[in-house]
Amino acid sequence: MRASVFEALAGFDKPASAYDIADVMSQSQGRRVAANSVYRILDLFVGANLARRVESANAYVANAHPDCLHDCIFLVCDKCGQITHIDDDRLTGAVRDAAIGAGFRPERPVIEVRGRCADCAKG
Ligand SMILES: [Zn+2]
Ligand SMILES: [Zn+2]
């Protein structure tokens, strides 16, 4: 089950919701796969750093670099849904520092920028 969830997730070129993934799996397995069980596995992946959650899109992407622990920054295109992933530890470190400075214990900064990707900005 986990392997097929990951395979389905990795097959998307955009962030995929648990429902998207359940649909793909239902088709390839010829039986109904519940989005709820996909959700649980996606959460495990996020905890294990195998996947990232794009909060503002309520969707997930396979982690391109599971070996390193960045606070990823996602650029979310509102037109085509494509997301670009960048890492800037200086920036996310500053966000963590600001949180700590306010007496807050940060677990995971969420930095997502919405707008238009390079292709959509052209049109
Ligand atoms: Zn990253
Ligand atoms: Zn776009």
Side-chain angles (χ1 to χ4, degrees), residues 20-72:
D20 296 335
I21 292 167
D23 278 351
V24 166
M25 288 175 64
S26 300
Q27 271 174 25
S28 67
Q29 298 186 5
R31 66 186 178 87
R32 194 70 213 143
V33 174
N36 264 346
S37 27
V38 173
Y39 249 123
R40 276 195 295 275
I41 292 171
L42 288 170
D43 276 343
L44 291 177
F45 287 165
V46 170
N49 203 34
L50 292 171
R52 300 288 193 177
R53 194 176 138 81
V54 183
E55 305 288 345
S56 64
N58 192 19
Y60 298 80
V61 284
N63 188 358
H65 44 64
D67 294 335
C68 63
L69 284 166
H70 290 291
D71 296 318
C72 297

Side-chain angles (χ1 to χ4, degrees), residues 76-82 115-121:
V76 183
C77 178
D78 282 326
K79 194 165 177 220
C80 70
Q82 192 62 251
R116 295 283 162 100
C117 70
D119 283 343
C120 293

